[in-house]
């Protein structure tokens, strides 16, 4: 019984709140439903009152007081005139672009004949060609006493490193490369190897 009375009270309170929204104070005694065939016109909008103008007058600027616990601007380190480079007003410092700093090597920089110096002090010829072999490039050797270098038959450039490959795709050597010089190691033994023009 109490639950029924409580529910009825909640329903009555809700209905009272809803009927207050449609009171005469808000424009009518209830919701207005359109009649069949009724036409509606655009409501007339009145212009808004102009806003308040921004205050005009003189604005005074003064330096801020030093923060609590400091004795003032004398606590700050002084910079002498020799500590600052003369940059000048309106000039920008020239910052080298990454592309201008070091040109990226290309395969054409390494095509040709190279003298390979082996770990035992002997040397031989390694020729890097621009002729493609699948996804690598053809290479050949002559007079190499080291078997790993003597079997080199292809090469490739990856970033700034030259990879020398043997038949079957095994890496024979990996060398850090510049257009006139290469320094690296043999893949199997780790022995140093260098190549120069």
């Amino acid at each position: 019984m109490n639950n029924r009375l409580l529910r009825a009270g909640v329903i009555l309170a809700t209905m009272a709140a809803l009927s207050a929204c449609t009171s005469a104070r808000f424009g009518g005694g209830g919701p207005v439903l359109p009649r069949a065939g009724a036409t509606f016109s655009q409501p007339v909008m009145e212009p808004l009152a102009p806003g308040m103008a921004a205050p005009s007058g003189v604005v005074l600027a003064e330096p801020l007081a030093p923060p609590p616990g400091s004795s003032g601007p004398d606590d700050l380190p002084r910079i002498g005139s020799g500590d600052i480079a003369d940059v000048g007003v309106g000039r920008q410092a020239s910052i080298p672009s990454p592309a201008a700093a070091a040109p990226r090597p290309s395969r054409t920089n390494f095509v040709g004949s190279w003298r390979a110096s082996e770990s035992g002090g002997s040397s031989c010829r390694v020729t890097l060609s621009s002729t493609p072999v699948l996804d690598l490039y053809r290479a050949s050797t002559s007079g190499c006493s080291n078997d790993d270098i003597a079997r080199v038959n292809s090469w490739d450039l990856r970033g700034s490193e030259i990879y020398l490959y043997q038949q079957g795709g095994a890496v024979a050597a990996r060398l850090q490369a510049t257009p006139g010089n290469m320094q690296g190691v043999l893949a199997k033994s780790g022995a140093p190897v260098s190549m120069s023009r």
Side-chain angles (χ1 to χ4, degrees):
M1 184 74 176
N2 286 338
N3 285 340
R4 286 186 185 169
L5 287 176
L6 181 62
R7 283 186 204 157
V10 169
I11 292 172
L12 286 175
T14 304
M15 290 176 62
L18 289 175
S19 66
C21 292
T22 59
S23 68
R25 186 173 73 159
F26 290 108
V32 177
L33 299 174
R35 294 186 315 261
T39 60
F40 295 96
S41 63
Q42 203 60 3
V44 177
M45 300 293 285
E46 295 183 19
L48 296 175
M52 293 180 57
S56 62
V58 178
V59 177
L60 299 176
E62 294 182 16
L64 294 174
S70 71
S71 60
D74 292 334
D75 288 347
L76 299 175
R78 297 279 180 203
I79 299 175
S81 60
D83 295 338
I84 300 175
D86 181 22
V87 176
V89 178
R91 279 191 279 164
Q92 295 179 355
S94 64
I95 300 171
S97 66
R104 189 176 174 100
S106 68
R107 287 183 184 91
T108 56
N109 296 122
F110 303 103
V111 170
S113 184
W114 293 81
R115 185 176 64 83
S117 299
E118 301 170 306
S119 60
S122 60
S123 63
C124 63
R125 283 276 168 215
V126 176
T127 304
L128 305 180
S129 169
S130 60
T131 306
V133 178
L134 297 175
D135 58 345
L136 303 173
Y137 294 88
R138 190 174 306 281
S140 61
T141 63
S142 65
C144 296
S145 59
N146 184 300
D147 285 342
D148 290 332
I149 297 175
R151 287 187 262 173
V152 167
N153 70 347
S154 58
W155 71 282
D156 195 16
L157 173 67
R158 294 184 184 177
S160 63
E161 290 186 321
I162 295 286
Y163 283 75
L164 300 177
Y165 296 94
Q166 297 174 350
Q167 188 170 0
V171 176
R174 187 172 145 185
L175 302 113
Q176 193 67 32
T178 61
N181 189 17
M182 299 185 213
Q183 300 286 329
V185 293
L186 296 174
K188 286 184 183 174
S189 65
V193 62
S194 63
M195 292 170 59
S196 58
R197 291 282 193 190

